[in-house]
Structure formats: C-alpha cells, structure tokens
Amino acid sequence: MGVDVGGTFTDIALSAGERIHTAKALTTPERPVEGVLEGIGYALDAAGLDSAAFRSVIHGTTLATNALIERRGAKVGVITTDGFRDILEIGYERRYDQ
C-alpha cells in the first residue's frame, strides 16, 4: 500500500494480487492521519480486504514542501558552526568544487 499525503488530498494505492485499487480522501491539515485512515479504509473496501491483509505501507508527503513554498509556518533560519558556512551552496549544488 502506498500513501501520499498532499495539501488537499490523501491518495492511496493498494496492490492486491493482479489488481491495484486506488482511493482518495480529503487531507485534514491539523490531523493528516484522519485522511490517511479514511483513504486506507476506502481502498480496503474496494479490494474487499481487511487491514490484516496488507504487509507494508509506503508513505510520502508534500506537506512540508508545500509549507516552505507557500511560506507558511514558523520563521526559520540556518545557523552553522565553523567550517560549515557553505552547506547551503553545497545543498543547492552551486559550489563548483565540492
């Protein structure tokens, strides 16, 4: 089962034998787990399975990325120690000599 928690929707993909069942639920920003559980329930119902039937869950989210892009949340800064002042340049691959 794959779970992707987005800013608006939570998407679920469940592989059951030869078939893939998908589901979509609204994401609740304050409690993203609600959309995850609701979506999993929809996918399991579509596949005719219960929660004991799946062995693994792969989770992904764009919530943190969206918050950064939209400049929501707490103001943040980067403080580095001696020898690490170019860490952002390295991270953005803007430094010629790594």
Side-chain angles (χ1 to χ4, degrees):
M1 179 177 298
V3 177
D4 175 33
V5 181
T8 304
F9 293 104
T10 297
D11 298 299
I12 309 292
L14 170 63
S15 175
E18 299 289 320
R19 300 202 53 204
I20 295 178
H21 302 275
T22 60
K24 186 178 287 279
L26 287 173
T27 298
T28 305
E30 300 80 30
R31 291 190 36 87
V33 69
E34 291 176 7
V36 171
L37 294 175
E38 185 176 4
I40 287 174
Y42 292 156
L44 290 171
D45 287 347
L49 300 171
D50 66 14
S51 60
F54 64 92
R55 294 177 298 208
S56 63
V57 175
I58 299 170
H59 175 267
T61 184
T62 57
L63 292 178
T65 305
N66 291 348
L68 288 172
I69 291 169
E70 296 167 6
R71 297 179 183 241
R72 290 185 287 117
K75 292 185 185 248
V76 297
V78 176
I79 299 172
T80 64
T81 57
D82 190 35
F84 290 92
R85 70 181 195 200
D86 59 351
I87 198 73
L88 291 177
E89 298 300 314
I90 293 169
Y92 289 124
E93 298 180 11
R94 286 191 237 156
R95 187 172 152 198
Y96 176 74
D97 183 14
Q98 299 290 326

